[in-house]
Amino acid sequence: MARALNVIKPSDNLKQDFPALARLVNGKPVIYLDSAASAQKPQCVIDTMTNVMSEHYANVHRGVYTFSSETSIAFEDARKKVAQFIKAKTDREIVFTRNATEAVNLVAHCFGQSLKAGDEIILTELEHHANIVPWYFLKEQKGVVLKIVPIKPDRSLDMAAFEKLLGPKTKLVAVTQMSNVLGTVVDVADIVKKAHAVGAKVLVDGSQSIVHFDVDVQAIGCDFFVFTGHKLYGPSGIGVLYGRYDALNALPPYQGGGEMIELVTFDKITYKEPPIRFEAGTPAIVEVIGLGAAIDYLNGLDRAACHAQEKKILQEAEKRLAAIPGVTIYSTAPERASIISFAVDKIHPHDVATVLDQLGIAVRTGHHCAQPLMKVLGVTGTVRASFALYNTMEDAEKLIEGVQKVKKLFS
Ligand SMILES: *Cc1c(COP(=O)(O)O)cnc(C)c1O
């Protein structure tokens, strides 16, 4: 599996690195277009995880014996890899969570403790439920006021409206860097600049963006950044909360338990510094190391070339889909990436997806965990095709042929 860095081009057909993509579905080679929900895993991730369990598995940070020290080193190496991948200043800014959802909940819970009734949190219409519900809890529990930035008719974020919502009561802005429904890319660095000017913190949901372009948390300047391992070609069960050290260190503990403490008596307990303060109990050892392997895999690719290829495939697929009569495309923001949300006139999204599945094509339908955005779009769901680094122009071709077949079947 060892490879020189930056030598792999998308034209080298990355599908061969992902064993699941060799499968036939309904007698056809699978065309996997649901990576925005979860990505396939390269062989090196699978091998690394197997290897931990078959070679040196033990709990981390505790044992003095060889298995434990080998596993602990691999575990902490993964934290360093994550820190470098998102250009954090130090690996002490990387907290491992179960997923992006837990990372947002952690910040909402811990940061939320300092909030009081009337304090304001700004969200956007683009958010995934994971970046809505934890803040809604604060509205229920504390009387915090949620303000929502609308999208414009072209489905980009309305920055002028955002600026109007910002004010002295704004304590936090929670915003996605890329919509999982529309692919809309948000200028989060600009949001951070404006939010910081009124003293508000910013949490960026990078669950989609980190998959499709390079992330530099220091350049963004955000206080918190979250993402989830399984969309970044890593395993499920592992997510990341980045917190700039001062922002992270200002938070009280999240869950209580082993690991996160310094000294425990029944009268007084003291807590460790970040990131361990936020990692109570035995972590997802194998998954953390698996995420590290996914990052190794990505570092071994010419990612700029991969991203450019994804863009070409997206543009071609959009152009061809738009040319099919009766197809409406919702993902139209000027800045967008790797996702097409669409509908076929008079055919339920579910039926579209079911026919496509017969052809071996996996797309997602429904509200995509973004019911408020569906309401804004005036639909109950869309069909979503999402592209990842292993997709090819031929996959886009197959999608177009598939949609044409759907139309014929229902006409
Ligand atoms: C998938 C996704 C999440 C949630 O990820 P989990 O792994 O389910 O926690 C949050 N935000 C966005 C934009 C997503 O696409």
Side-chain angles (χ1 to χ4, degrees), residues 14 24 38-39 69 103 109 122 134 160 199-201 209 221 231 249 259 267 305 318 367 383 385 410:
L14 299 180
L24 299 183
S38 205
S69 61
H109 178 86
I122 296 182
K201 299 258 183 279
S209 60
K231 293 181 186 175
N249 201 26
E259 284 285 306
D267 299 318
E318 281 174 343
H367 57 62
V383 186
F410 285 86

Side-chain angles (χ1 to χ4, degrees), residues 36 99-101 128 130 176 178 180 205 207-208 228 230-231:
N99 45 35
T101 302
H128 185 284
T176 190
M178 175 180 157
N180 66 304
D205 179 355
S207 303
Q208 295 292 336
T228 198
H230 65 97
K231 293 181 186 175

Side-chain angles (χ1 to χ4, degrees), residues 68-386:
S68 181
S69 61
E70 284 178 3
T71 303
S72 300
I73 288 168
F75 183 89
E76 288 304 324
D77 270 354
R79 198 189 302 275
K80 293 190 184 86
K81 288 171 192 175
V82 170
Q84 282 163 11
F85 192 68
I86 62 172
K87 302 191 171 62
K89 203 176 250 173
T90 137
D91 61 347
R92 293 186 306 152
E93 298 176 321
I94 305 302
V95 178
F96 288 122
T97 60
R98 270 194 313 127
N99 45 35
T101 302
E102 193 186 37
V104 179
N105 274 278
L106 192 163
V107 176
H109 178 86
C110 298
F111 182 75
Q113 291 183 31
S114 66
L115 300 182
K116 54 184 191 318
D119 283 346
E120 295 175 2
I121 292 177
I122 296 182
L123 311 176
T124 85
E125 286 181 344
L126 292 171
E127 302 313 312
H128 185 284
H129 293 163
N131 202 24
I132 299 174
V133 184
W135 308 113
Y136 178 82
F137 287 171
L138 292 176
K139 173 185 157 111
E140 282 198 318
Q141 293 160 1
K142 297 245 174 184
V144 163
V145 178
L146 303 182
K147 301 252 167 155
I148 314 299
V149 185
I151 56 172
K152 296 197 286 194
D154 71 357
R155 278 134 201 168
S156 62
L157 196 66
D158 189 338
M159 290 299 285
F162 166 67
E163 286 179 47
K164 282 199 197 112
L165 291 178
L166 261 183
K169 288 187 180 164
T170 312
K171 298 297 172 205
L172 183 129
V173 179
V175 57
T176 190
Q177 193 175 14
M178 175 180 157
S179 160
N180 66 304
V181 178
L182 299 174
T184 303
V185 175
V186 176
D187 184 352
V188 287
D190 192 33
I191 287 183
V192 168
K193 210 168 64 202
K194 288 166 177 150
H196 281 177
V198 302
K201 299 258 183 279
V202 180
L203 177 141
V204 173
D205 179 355
S207 303
Q208 295 292 336
S209 60
I210 196 165
V211 185
H212 302 291
F213 41 90
D214 290 338
V215 164
D216 180 336
V217 288
Q218 291 189 69
I220 295 169
C222 55
D223 304 274
F224 305 104
F225 183 96
V226 307
F227 69 95
T228 198
H230 65 97
K231 293 181 186 175
L232 194 66
Y233 313 102
S236 55
I238 183 63
V240 168
L241 165 65
Y242 155 85
R244 209 185 47 250
Y245 195 80
D246 61 305
L248 209 52
N249 201 26
L251 300 181
Y254 178 47
Q255 297 180 327
E259 284 285 306
M260 50 79 73
I261 46 76
E262 223 163 45
L263 266 175
V264 179
T265 69
F266 286 113
D267 299 318
K268 185 172 168 56
I269 297 176
T270 56
Y271 309 110
K272 285 202 181 120
E273 296 191 336
I276 304 297
R277 182 189 301 164
F278 305 104
E279 295 181 358
T282 300
I285 300 166
V286 179
E287 289 76 10
V288 164
I289 297 170
L291 176 61
I295 289 174
D296 284 342
Y297 176 76
L298 291 168
N299 286 337
L301 302 176
D302 180 346
R303 269 187 294 140
C306 291
H307 296 159
Q309 171 80 355
E310 267 181 45
K311 198 165 185 173
K312 252 171 56 191
I313 294 171
L314 178 75
Q315 284 169 347
E316 180 69 14
E318 281 174 343
K319 198 176 85 196
R320 303 272 309 276
L321 258 187
I324 301 176
V327 169
T328 304
I329 295 181
Y330 299 105
S331 42
T332 55
E335 294 293 327
R336 61 184 185 276
S338 299
I339 286 174
I340 308 182
S341 254
F342 65 97
V344 188
D345 202 18
K346 300 194 187 72
I347 308 175
H348 194 279
H350 219 80
D351 294 332
V352 176
T354 305
V355 175
L356 290 177
D357 182 55
Q358 295 302 308
L359 304 167
I361 303 168
V363 295
R364 169 72 42 137
T365 61
H367 57 62
H368 316 295
C369 298
Q371 286 176 7
L373 181 54
M374 292 298 120
K375 196 170 166 205
V376 171
L377 297 176
V379 298
T380 53
T382 70
V383 186
R384 181 186 69 187
S386 53

